[in-house]
Every structure is written in C-alpha cells, then in structure tokens.
C-alpha cells in the first residue's frame, strides 16, 4: 500500500537526567548543564510510524525545527528505524510561536507528498498545539491524543482517541491527515547498534527559510503573537503544611493526621 | 569515555540504549530471576536483537564495526546500571577471536549467530594451578581427521546455557610454554563433555540459600573433557598459533572488566553518597561526619585514577599499539580498576551499615562479581608479577 | 476589548465543570465584559444545557446541527469559525475536546492561541498577560498574548473557581442557521468504554497512589503493604500504567479514573494536571516526594520531602505496631 509518513519531532531537556531550574533573572531556565533527548511523545509517534511502514510499506521521515544540536534526535530516531531525516534551521526561525513552527513545517510538507503526518500529543511546554495548527493550515483532518491506528484502505484510517474516564473515542479519518500521538500507544523499540552504525555516516539535509519558501512575516519573533516573558517558580499551595523532622517524627505526625482525617480503618 | 558531556552522537545513542534496557531489565528483574534461578531470557533476547554483542565486530562480518571507545562507553554504562555480565564480556571476546583468527567459513557460520544472541562460552585458561595463562592440561591430540580433547577447564562461564564453546587446548609441547596452543570451537554437547556446575556461594547472614553467582545470572562451570572427538574444521586459525591468541583474548577481557569495574564502583559509591545524605542518626545526616566523608572521597579518587588507566588501555587497544604494550596497559587497568572497585564496595557497604545486607539495597548482590574481578582472568598479584618482569625488567620468578 | 465567548462542553444534558469556571476566567480578562456562552450539539440535551447556562450567562448562542450531535471537534471548529466574530476571544476548557479543537480553531479564525492557561494578569492595550506552566508544572511562565485580532484560549480545568451565582437571567439565541456546511474529514464511530474489572477505585475512601517515584516494579509491593495497613486501595498515575506495572483500572487522571476519596496519599507523584484532574471532591491530600518543587505540593494539604521507598515501610510498620 505504501505510506509516506512524516513525523515532527522535538529535542527537549531530559528531565530524568537534569533538573529544571529558573535562572537568576527569570529570563529562561538554566540550560548550561542540560542534557537533551527526544520528546517522549514524539518517540512513540516514530515507533508507530515505523510499525505502520513495516506492515504496509513506504517510508518514515523525521523532521525537526531547531539548531545543529537537534540533529542528534533525528539520528536517534533514524537509528530506531526512520528512513530519512530533515533539519529545518534558520536564524529567521528564532522566537517563533506555535503558529510560526506550524508554518515552517507546512512549507516542508508541501515540498513532498505525505500520506500521514504525526506529532507527539505534547512536549515540554505542555502546549500540544503544533499538530492541530499544522492540520488547519494544510486543511487536513486532525485527531489528537491518538492511542490506536488501523489502516482501513489507502484513503482512510480508523483511529482511537483517548478521552476522559479511560474511554476511547473511535473515529474514521480521511488521508492525508495529521495525528497527535499519546504515550502508551505502543512499546518503542530499542536503538540497535547496527542502526547507530548505519546512521552515523548519513548526511542529514538542512533546509532554511529560502529553501522552504517561507516568508519572514510568518515566522520568527516578529510574527509571533504569543511570547513568553519570563519563567518563575510557582508558589507552594498556601494551605500546604510541610512536615519536618527526622523520619520517626514525620511518621508519628502522619499517623496523627491520618487518624484525624479519617484515613485509618 | 566516562564524561558523558563529551560523548559523540554515537556514544550518546549507545548510552541511550543502555538506559532504555535498564528500564525493562531493571534491578528487580534480575533479583527475581536470581531468586527463582531463572535464565534472563529477555536480557539476552534484547542483546541479540539490538546487536550489541557485535559492537566491535567489523561490519563485513555482521557486526557494527565500532571500536574500543564505543565498547568502553557501552560496558561502563552497562555496569553502572548493573547490567554487565561476565557472559556478555566473553561473548564479545569470542567474536573477536573468530574475527581475528577464524576461517571465512567459520566467521560466516558462527559470528552472525553469536551476535544474534546464541550463547558461546569461552574456555581458555585453566586456573587450577599457578594462574599462568598458558598452563593447560587440556590436550588436543590429532588423529587423522579429528582432534581428541582430554582434560579439565575450570571457571567456564555459562557452559550449560551455551551451545557453542571456544576451547584453547595444547596441541604441542608440554608444561607452561607459550607455544603449542590451538583454539577450537565446539557445537552443542559433544560426546564426552561432562559439566559440573560450580556455584560459588557467598553466604550472607540474611540469605540461607546459595546465590546465583552473579546478579546478572552468570554461573560458572567446570568442564571435563574425556576423549572428546572433534573434526579438524573445528580448529580456529593455525595449529600451534601459540599463547599469543590466549593473551589477546585475556587482554580484551581485562579491558572490559576494568571498564565494568569502574562502572560498578561508580554505581555503589553513588548509592552510598545518596544514603549518607539522607540517613540521620544523631541529628545530622551521617554524610556530614568526616569519618564517613573521607573513605567515600578516597574511594572515589581511586576510581577516578583507575579511569585514567582504563582510558589509556582502551586507546592502546583501539589504536592497535604494540601488543606487548596493550598487555601491560590492560593489566594495569584491570589491576587498578578492580582494586578501586573493591575498595568502593567495601566503603559503600560500611556507609550503608545494616542496610547493606539487604538484597533490595542492590549492593550485596554484586559482591561476587566484584570479588571475582580481582581474580579472573588473571589474579591481580599475577599482574603485578608480570609487570615486574615485563615492565620493570626484574628477574623472572622472584621469590615471594 | 473584543467580545468574549465561553465554549461550553456538555454530556447527557449536563454541562461540564468548566462551564461555570470560564465565567471567572473571563472576568479576570475583563471584569466589565459580559461573556457569551457558545454551545454546540443537537436536540433535547442541547436545549437543556442552553437553558441551564442561561441562568449563568447573559447570552447563550445555541448551535444545533445533526453533525454536532456527538462533539466532533472537526465539525465544531467549522461551525465556530463560521459563526464567531473573527476578533472574538474564545475561552475553552482544556479537556480532550479543547485540545482537539483549540489549535486548529485559532488558525481558522486567524487568532492568537494560548493553551492550558492557569491565570490572567490583565490587559495592556491589545496585549493580554497570562500565566501558564511548563515542564509538567515545575515552572510557571508569564506569556504576553496579542489579542488585537482575537484569541483562542484554553483554560486549565479547576484553575478558576466556578461562578455558581446563577443570576444572569440570560437569553438563548439560536445561531444554528449560520453553521454552514459541516461535512468534515473525520467521522465519529463509537465510544469504547473503559474496562470494568473487579477493582473500582472510584468508590474508595482512602487511596495510596504511586507515581514515578516508586522507581521499580518491585517497590510497588511496599506501597501495597502501606495500603493494606491503612485498609486503603492502591492506585497510581499514568507512567505506572504505561510501564505496565499496574492495571489501567488503577490509573487516576483525566485519561483514567476519577476518584473522590476522603484521604489521598500521593506517593512519589509529581502532580501533573492530568493526574490531578482525576481527583475530585477536595479530599485531604498528603503528598510525599523527593523533589521539593514537585507541583503536587501546590495542591496538597500536607507535604513531606522524602524518599517514599524509605518512608513508606516505616509508616507501615508504625501503623502495624500502633494497631493493637
């Protein structure tokens, strides 16, 4: 059947290896010691794409908007099984808001012909917006929080969306379409050492603003209508009583509290 | 190779794999297998699928063609996550031996299957007496189209679980001479091989049943060959290639063990430091007392020094320096790393106090591996002796 | 200031909790403005919700269409884009429908888009300053949103109190005719309900809930023992189910079960909003986490910075000793 799939991925701070801390003037988080990794949701999306192509034929392209350092996540996903990688990089892209990123990706989509476009359901900013925006810009149907995909024929898919209460909303969606993928949809495979070897000598093409035909007024800081001003630490809840002391003291206090609040049977 | 901020993309990806593996084959997975005496099937299946046994095997032989540094990064992180096993190291050595000395036919037949996860044991040195790499009492007598093996090999990892075996046997000369040794590869349970499981029991006060030898499921066997007939084609490489082959195998094994040793050391020290920060007995965490701090700092310093030695050995191996030099560096690395790791273990157990006896803490279960690492493939004292001779030029067989 | 709209989610004739929360959210954007409720759907259920909302909103726009009988975000988006003024400010609850609907709607209306907002800090000309969180709630950010051409803003459920005064005495305006062609590329098939098993945490009074802080599958036993000692039930957050360490039936959160216990013990749980959305009824929350900045401490009544692997067994032991 052959499916040409594009998966949009993002390089994000690895919260398992690094602490997220706000810098001194609140302008950003401290990035010096950060280790970056593939956004967890995107990894599930790539695995899903590779499984679809394993079954139906075709190829998987992973794309990211970023800098040189972001190439690493592209390589990781290619070592995992994606066939092609694409880096979209240009100074003009700096400071883009969600719509700006979607505009950049739209230009990349229009350079080729893809049957299916996937993103992760969200990333480190917790926004989960790029997929939906990209779909609307392309006028493709969209489904978010997808936790199951079944190919019905070369014109449509049956997808399940994860909704409240642990229920699943089943939909039929026309191709080409955009899907945002939820964690737990599959079990991402290991990066094999052969995959690493295969990918180590591959050149990953880079496209800039003029290659993509993206105009300055649709991307970058200038075009951004939503701008982050600062970072700060949220306050502890006002009513939160933090218990101190050594373990024995804490245990005693907890038992007292549990008794008072009806936690003991 | 221990500073992850300086890793190349490939090295980061290798580290990533180990991290992913450590999530599914976590400590509780191995502890469970150890308690039930179960083979770690998932671990080996993943190793095979992901191809890491072939990490340094050339691409044309079915491997990934990476070199010493990548192997070191791999082994270090595996040990850091308590995933390293002696069996894994011997598998990689077996691939090296086949790559370097095997015929095209042997490489084509055996390398792919070992890289895919089929277990192959390594029975090279015989550690019965003298700790001399070249003392072998296993002989291979040639008669027409076969060799006949006789003798005993001790301390063979995983012989029962493997169905391939690489054996070094004496085909000429007697005694402890370096010449006259050949390598053979055996399939399955050839007639006449007797397996005696040799479980090393480190009895602790909390467990009464004998432990698996290591947390990652390594078991050790004694192999007795009684008139085992094998075809001529089982021979790997030239007849009487010599002990050089055994030496090279031991060197690579020592480099891997040294890398793993610093990994284990870092792992137990990290746990000890965490514990010292949290454990409060007299109002302050124990980690704020000098008597606890100094041993930890000392142990860590030794580990960092050992890493320098390991790094040197890895680069010597990777750059294919003079073989004698590689041997010396490998020996120094193995010596310093395993001694530092042993010290780190002791300090970590001391810091944990009573908690160290609990298997759940995750330290005592690694003890057999760390203790053994000072003994195999060459006892650390023997390494000192060899260095005294080869490195310092002192008289052979100095009186002890 | 452009007109403010609140999109009302509903099911089975009942409006979602966010419906009344959006009133306060809107008031924080512009205290003087009146907000128009926008409700899509079909038939009697829609009518019921519209009438209900008219008690709280001065004006309710009803969009009745067969294609909207099931809330299909693709169709809703088309209808709203056709009906709402382009420069309007649309507030939507950030639930699974809001996540599906919002981003694309902002493109179709050529408006700014802000997602999962937890607070508003006023307007300066045509710039609206708002507060949201990143890194699973570990840090907050101020964001400036240009509303000169309108905005679509999804609001975190529970971030604003509901306005339950019901003094609006509003009117329902039927806008169904302007919906336009609602044929879309995605069609709703059916809902597959979550499995019902022998574990029903939704009825539990006391819950011991584990998150990533449990570390290892083996350690879940420690939590189970604590739950047993308390006579409580064991539940968890999403990562534990993703890792297949506990059954999905034990998952608390927006994509799992909703629980209403008296006491909720969050052990090693960071407190992502998706998880917290599964806890209703204001239980007494006791949170234990190694990270002093875990978002869960923003909502817990009692917090302890500690390693749950060390604390839980001690607590269990003390409970066992104390109880006879």
């Amino acid at each position: 059947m052959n499916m040409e799939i594009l998966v949009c991925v993002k390089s994000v701070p690895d919260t398992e290896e690094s602490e997220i801390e706000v810098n001194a003037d609140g302008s950003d988080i401290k990035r010096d010691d950060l280790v970056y990794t593939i956004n967890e949701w995107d990894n599930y999306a790539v695995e899903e794409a590779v499984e679809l192509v394993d079954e139906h034929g075709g190829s998987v392209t992973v794309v990211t908007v970023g800098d040189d350092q972001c190439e690493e996540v592209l390589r990781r996903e290619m070592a995992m099984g994606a066939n092609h990688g694409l880096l979209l990089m240009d100074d003009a892209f700096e400071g883009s808001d969600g719509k700006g990123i979607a505009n950049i990706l739209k230009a990349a989509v229009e350079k080729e012909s893809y049957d299916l476009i996937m993103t992760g359901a969200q990333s480190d900013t917790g926004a989960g917006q790029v997929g939906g925006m990209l779909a609307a810009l392309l006028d493709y149907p969209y489904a978010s929080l997808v936790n199951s995909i079944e190919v019905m024929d070369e014109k449509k898919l049956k997808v399940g969306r994860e909704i409240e209460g642990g229920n699943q909303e089943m939909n039929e969606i026309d191709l080409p379409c955009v899907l945002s993928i939820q964690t737990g949809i599959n079990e991402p495979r290991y990066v094999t050492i052969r995959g690493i070897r295969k990918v180590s000598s591959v050149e990953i093409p880079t496209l800039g603003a003029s290659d993509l035909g993206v105009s300055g007024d649709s991307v970058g800081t200038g075009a951004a209508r939503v701008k982050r001003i600062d970072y700060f630490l949220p306050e502890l809840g006002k009513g939160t009583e933090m218990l101190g002391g050594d373990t024995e003291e804490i245990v005693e206090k907890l038992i007292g509290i549990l008794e008072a609040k009806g936690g003991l049977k | 190779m221990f500073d992850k901020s300086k890793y190349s993309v490939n090295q980061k990806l290798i580290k990533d794999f180990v991290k992913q593996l450590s999530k599914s084959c976590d400590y509780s997975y191995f502890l469970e297998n150890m308690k039930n005496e179960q083979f770690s099937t998932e671990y080996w299946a993943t190793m095979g699928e992901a191809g890491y046994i072939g990490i340094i095997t050339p691409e044309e032989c079915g491997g990934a063609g990476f070199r010493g540094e990548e192997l070191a990064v791999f082994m270090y992180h595996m040990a850091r996550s308590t995933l390293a096993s002696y069996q894994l190291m011997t598998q990689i050595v077996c691939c090296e031996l086949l790559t370097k000395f095997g015929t095209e036919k042997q490489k084509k037949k055996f390398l792919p299957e070992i890289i895919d996860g089929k277990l192959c044991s390594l029975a090279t040195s015989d550690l019965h007496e003298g700790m001399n790499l070249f003392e072998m009492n296993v002989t291979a007598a040639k008669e027409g189209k076969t060799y006949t093996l006789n003798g005993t090999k001790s301390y063979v990892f995983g012989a029962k679980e493997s169905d391939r075996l690489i054996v070094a046997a004496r085909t000429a000369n007697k005694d402890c001479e370096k010449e006259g040794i050949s390598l053979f590869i055996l399939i399955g349970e050839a007639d006449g091989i007797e397996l005696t499981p040799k479980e090393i029991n480190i009895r602790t006060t909390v467990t009464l049943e004998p432990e698996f030898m290591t947390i990652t499921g390594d078991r050790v066997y004694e192999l007795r060959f009684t008139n085992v007939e094998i075809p001529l084609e089982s021979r790997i490489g030239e007849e009487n290639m010599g002990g050089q082959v055994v030496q090279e195998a031991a060197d690579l094994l020592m480099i891997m063990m040294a890398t793993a040793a610093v990994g284990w050391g870092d792992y137990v020290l990290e746990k000890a430091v965490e514990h010292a920060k949290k454990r409060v007995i007299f109002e302050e965490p124990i980690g704020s007392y000098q008597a606890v701090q100094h041993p930890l700092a000392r142990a860590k310093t030794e580990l960092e020094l050992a890493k320098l030695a390991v790094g040197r050995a890895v680069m010597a191996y990777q750059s294919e320096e003079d073989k004698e030099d590689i041997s010396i560096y490998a020996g120094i690395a193995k010596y310093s790393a395993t001694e530092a790791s042993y010290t780190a273990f002791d300090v970590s157990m001391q810091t944990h106090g009573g908690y160290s006896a609990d298997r759940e803490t995750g330290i005592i279960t690694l003890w057999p591996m760390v203790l053994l690492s000072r003994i195999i493939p060459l006892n650390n004292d023997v390494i000192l002796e060899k260095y005294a001779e080869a490195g310092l030029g002192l008289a052979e067989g100095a009186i002890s | 200031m452009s007109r403010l709209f609140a999109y009302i989610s509903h099911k089975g004739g009942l409006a979602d909790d966010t419906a009344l929360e959006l009133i306060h959210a809107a008031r924080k954007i512009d205290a003087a403005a009146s907000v128009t409720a926008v409700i899509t759907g079909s038939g009697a259920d829609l009518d019921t919700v519209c009438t209900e909302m008219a008690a709280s909103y001065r004006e309710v726009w009803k969009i009745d269409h067969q294609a909207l009988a099931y809330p299909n975000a693709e169709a809703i988006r088309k209808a709203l884009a056709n009906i709402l003024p382009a420069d309007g400010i649309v507030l939507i609850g950030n639930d699974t429908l809001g996540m599906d609907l919002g981003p694309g709607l902002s493109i179709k209306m050529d408006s700014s888009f802000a997602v999962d907002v937890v607070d508003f800090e006023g307007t300066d000309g045509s710039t609206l300053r708002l507060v949201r969180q990143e890194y699973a709630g570990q840090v907050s950010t101020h964001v400036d949103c240009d509303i000169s051409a309108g905005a679509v803003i999804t609001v975190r459920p529970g971030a604003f109190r509901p306005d339950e005064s019901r003094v609006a005495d509003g009117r329902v305006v039927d806008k169904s005719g302007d919906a336009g062609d609602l044929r879309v590329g995605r069609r709703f098939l059916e809902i597959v309900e979550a499995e019902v098993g022998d574990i029903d945490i939704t009825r539990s009074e006391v819950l011991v809930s584990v998150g990533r802080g449990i570390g290892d599958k083996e350690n879940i036993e420690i939590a189970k023992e604590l739950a047993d000692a308390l006579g409580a039930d064991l539940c968890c957050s999403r990562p534990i189910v993703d890792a297949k360490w506990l059954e999905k039936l034990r998952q608390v959160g927006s994509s799992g079960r909703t629980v209403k216990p008296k006491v909720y013990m969050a052990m090693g749980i960071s407190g992502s909003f998706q998880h917290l959305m599964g806890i209703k009824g204001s239980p007494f929350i006791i949170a234990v986490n190694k990270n002093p900045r875990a978002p869960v401490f923003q909502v817990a009544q009692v917090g302890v910075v500690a390693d749950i692997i060390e604390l839980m067994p001690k607590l269990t032991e003390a409970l066992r000793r104390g109880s006879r």
Side-chain angles (χ1 to χ4, degrees), chain A residues 13 17-24 28-36 69, chain B residues 4-6 12:
Chain A
E17 305 258 330
S18 335
E19 288 274 316
I20 303 295
E21 281 173 27
V22 180
N23 68 7
D28 199 357
I29 57 172
K30 289 189 187 155
R31 292 193 189 262
D32 287 335
D33 292 322
L34 285 182
V35 177
Y36 285 81
Q69 213 229 29
Chain B
K4 61 186 180 200
S5 67
K6 303 218 167 65
K12 277 192 203 166

Side-chain angles (χ1 to χ4, degrees), chain B residues 25-38:
Chain B
C25 295
D26 55 14
Y27 181 69
S28 61
Y29 165 77
F30 286 113
L31 193 59
E32 197 61 32
N33 288 345
M34 196 174 94
K35 285 181 190 170
N36 303 331
E37 304 212 343
Q38 257 165 15

Side-chain angles (χ1 to χ4, degrees), chain A residues 14 16-17 72 75-76 188-194 196-197 200, chain B residues 4 10 12 16 19-20 23-24 46 50-52 59 64-65 115:
Chain A
D14 187 345
E16 284 183 32
E17 305 258 330
E72 271 172 39
R75 285 198 187 277
R76 188 208 184 281
R189 63 194 65 189
Y190 291 99
V191 173
T192 69
I193 190 76
R194 285 188 205 97
I196 299 175
R197 164 54 75 197
S200 62
Chain B
K4 61 186 180 200
N10 293 334
K12 277 192 203 166
D16 226 29
K19 185 159 126 181
Q20 198 176 348
K23 290 203 180 131
S24 54
T46 307
Y52 282 81
E59 280 180 87
I115 294 173

Side-chain angles (χ1 to χ4, degrees), chain A residues 100-210:
Chain A
I101 302 285
N103 274 327
I104 300 166
L105 289 169
K106 171 176 181 258
V109 170
E110 290 174 334
K111 275 185 106 44
E112 305 283 337
S113 170
Y114 296 103
D115 300 300
L116 175 58
I117 300 166
M118 301 209 270
T119 69
Q122 67 169 84
S123 72
D124 51 350
T125 59
Q129 60 188 332
V130 170
M133 289 181 167
L134 181 58
L137 288 170
L138 291 167
D139 258 315
Y140 286 1
Y142 175 62
S144 62
L145 306 169
V146 171
N147 62 9
S148 78
I149 301 178
E150 202 190 300
V151 176
M152 307 204 69
D153 56 45
E154 60 277 350
K155 295 233 181 81
K156 50 190 190 298
L157 306 174
K158 184 167 166 188
V159 298
R161 290 186 61 238
E162 192 184 74
I163 59 174
E164 280 73 13
N167 295 334
Q168 192 183 34
E169 179 195 273
M170 302 307 295
N171 293 275
E172 201 183 71
I173 188 167
D174 296 335
L175 291 171
C177 69
V178 179
L179 303 176
S180 89
I181 306 294
Q182 184 58 294
T183 55
I185 185 175
N186 54 39
E187 237 179 272
R189 63 194 65 189
Y190 291 99
V191 173
T192 69
I193 190 76
R194 285 188 205 97
I196 299 175
R197 164 54 75 197
K198 204 169 81 157
V199 154
S200 62
S201 48
V202 166
E203 268 286 323
I204 295 182
T206 306
L207 295 180
S210 50

Side-chain angles (χ1 to χ4, degrees), chain A residues 124-125 142 144 161-162 164 167-170 172 174 183 225 227-232 240-241 243, chain C residues 70 96 100 110 132 134-135 140 142 144 146 185-187 189-190 192 194 238 256 297 300-301 303:
Chain A
D124 51 350
T125 59
Y142 175 62
S144 62
R161 290 186 61 238
E162 192 184 74
E164 280 73 13
N167 295 334
Q168 192 183 34
E169 179 195 273
M170 302 307 295
E172 201 183 71
D174 296 335
T183 55
R225 290 199 246 179
K227 295 180 189 173
R228 192 191 304 116
I229 302 303
D230 65 11
Y231 278 99
F232 62 97
T240 309
E241 186 197 336
L243 300 182
Chain C
Y70 178 83
T96 60
D100 214 20
D110 196 20
R132 58 184 306 277
E134 293 189 10
Y135 299 103
S140 294
H142 286 112
D144 275 354
D146 176 358
R186 184 178 114 196
R187 295 162 290 285
L189 295 176
E190 58 170 346
V192 173
R238 196 202 174 98
F297 291 129
Q301 276 66 46

Side-chain angles (χ1 to χ4, degrees), chain C residues 202-216:
Chain C
T202 62
R203 298 185 191 281
S204 306
E205 290 208 330
V206 184
L207 286 167
V208 172
S209 189
V210 293
R212 263 200 241 253
I214 197 77
D216 223 82

